[in-house]
């Protein structure tokens, strides 16, 4: 498998490029609108054809590049079926792998951060979106978030994967790139060790986080598979127009 981890600095989002060497087909997991040209250039450099974009959930902190990449490349928009997006070409769900050339992508339903969140397992890697971060997890106080559901998603499903499974999160704010299931089980201060459901629910309820500054534009934009609303204020235009630069292999 051809693999690239790409970083968009405005929203601190990781996008993952997965390519099948035999077929030349590729998938982008969680592409970000301002970075669509970067992603397209990377695909071209590697000689790959984009078959699908695949989002983990309806994001609140950035807008997906799914629609733009479909316009540019003819790729299909894949998205969790539970969100019932009219603009999606394919609804994915747990138990139904997405086969792209030699790539087998296994959706794992991991609600809690949002009610439609999915992680994706590909061989020895799992792409956890915002459900499981490196030594953290996504918040649960909007978009039908549910701390109890997230606890069971992570500890009951993701932590049930083999210990040496590599964990690739949707975001990181400390320049960390990868973890493992064994590391998160041992070191995650929110969900690891002997953390009880009651203690986790209390912790999440007391975070006191600020209202996400882009959520009122990101959610409708993402429900349209990546259309930046026309009323985005000037101080937030970077979420629609800035192009990320960093490429990591």
């Amino acid at each position: 498998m051809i693999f690239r981890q790409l970083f968009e600095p405005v929203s601190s989002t990781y996008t993952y490029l997965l390519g099948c060497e035999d077929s030349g087909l590729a998938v982008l997991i969680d592409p970000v609108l301002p970075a669509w040209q970067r992603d397209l250039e990377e695909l071209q450099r590697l000689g790959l054809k984009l078959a699908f974009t695949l989002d983990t959930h309806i994001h609140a902190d950035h807008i997906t590049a799914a629609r733009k990449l479909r316009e540019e490349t003819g790729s299909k928009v894949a998205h969790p079926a539970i969100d019932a997006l009219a603009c999606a070409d394919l609804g994915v769900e747990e138990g139904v792998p997405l086969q792209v050339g030699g790539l087998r992508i296994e959706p794992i339903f991991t609600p809690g951060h949002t009610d439609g969140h999915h992680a994706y397992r590909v061989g020895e890697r799992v792409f956890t979106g915002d459900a499981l971060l490196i030594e953290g997890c996504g918040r649960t106080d909007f978009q039908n978030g549910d701390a109890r559901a997230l606890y069971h998603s992570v500890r009951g499903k993701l932590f049930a994967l083999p210990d040496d499974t590599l964990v690739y999160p949707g975001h990181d704010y400390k320049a960390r790139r990868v973890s493992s299931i064994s590391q998160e089980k041992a070191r995650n201060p929110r969900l690891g060790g002997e953390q009880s459901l009651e203690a986790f629910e209390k912790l999440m309820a007391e975070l006191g986080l600020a209202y996400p500054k882009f959520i009122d534009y990101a959610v409708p934009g993402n429900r349209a598979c990546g259309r930046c609303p026309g009323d985005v204020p000037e101080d937030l235009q970077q979420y629609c127009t800035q192009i990320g630069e960093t490429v990591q292999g």
Side-chain angles (χ1 to χ4, degrees):
M1 182 176 74
I2 298 169
F3 174 71
R4 295 290 186 272
Q5 182 181 34
L6 306 106
F7 184 70
E8 196 285 312
V10 173
S11 57
S12 296
T13 300
Y14 281 124
T15 295
Y16 298 98
L17 187 159
L18 314 178
C20 170
E21 293 181 278
D22 293 334
S23 67
L25 298 177
V27 175
L28 283 169
I29 297 176
D30 286 342
V32 184
L33 182 58
W36 72 268
Q37 290 174 302
R38 174 208 64 188
D39 296 349
L40 189 56
E41 289 169 3
E42 187 68 5
L43 287 161
Q44 292 171 341
R45 188 181 71 81
L46 294 167
L48 296 170
K49 176 180 174 57
L50 184 63
F52 289 96
T53 56
L54 178 60
D55 279 280
T56 52
H57 63 294
I58 295 174
H59 307 278
D61 53 6
H62 69 268
I63 292 179
T64 178
R67 178 183 290 271
K68 182 63 176 177
L69 288 166
R70 179 170 63 185
E71 292 172 356
E72 294 291 326
T73 71
S75 57
K76 293 183 178 180
V77 174
H79 189 91
I82 191 172
D83 288 326
L85 299 188
C87 54
D89 300 299
L90 177 68
V92 298
E93 55 188 315
E94 185 175 84
V96 183
L98 174 62
Q99 194 75 36
V100 182
L103 301 176
R104 179 183 170 90
I105 302 170
E106 300 177 52
I108 305 172
F109 184 40
T110 49
H113 173 62
T114 69
D115 56 355
H117 193 287
H118 280 63
Y120 301 109
R121 184 185 183 189
V122 184
E124 75 280 8
R125 297 177 173 93
V126 61
F127 302 93
T128 55
D130 290 20
L132 177 62
L133 305 178
I134 296 176
E135 298 185 10
C137 66
R139 57 197 292 181
T140 58
D141 57 338
F142 55 75
Q143 289 179 270
N144 297 316
D146 184 324
R148 179 179 291 264
L150 183 60
Y151 181 91
H152 291 302
S153 291
V154 173
R155 291 183 63 96
K157 289 188 174 181
L158 297 179
F159 283 2
L161 296 173
D163 281 351
D164 59 356
T165 302
L166 297 176
V167 172
Y168 286 95
H171 301 278
D172 194 79
Y173 308 98
K174 298 180 180 180
R176 297 168 299 189
R177 294 174 53 189
V178 62
S179 183
S180 68
I181 291 297
S182 62
Q183 178 173 312
E184 295 309 312
K185 285 164 69 173
R187 294 174 49 181
N188 193 298
R190 294 186 179 181
L191 287 155
E194 300 301 319
Q195 179 77 303
S196 69
L197 171 59
E198 292 73 20
F200 178 69
E201 288 183 301
K202 183 175 186 294
L203 183 156
M204 298 304 288
E206 295 176 354
L207 288 178
L209 299 173
Y211 186 74
K213 62 183 177 181
F214 195 54
I215 187 172
D216 292 334
Y217 308 100
V219 170
N222 287 319
R223 291 203 66 85
C225 294
R227 179 177 287 134
C228 205
D231 58 345
V232 175
E234 185 175 350
D235 64 319
L236 296 178
Q237 279 294 325
Q238 61 184 338
Y239 289 91
C240 296
T241 59
Q242 180 175 332
I243 298 175
E245 297 290 340
T246 303
V247 177
Q248 300 172 339

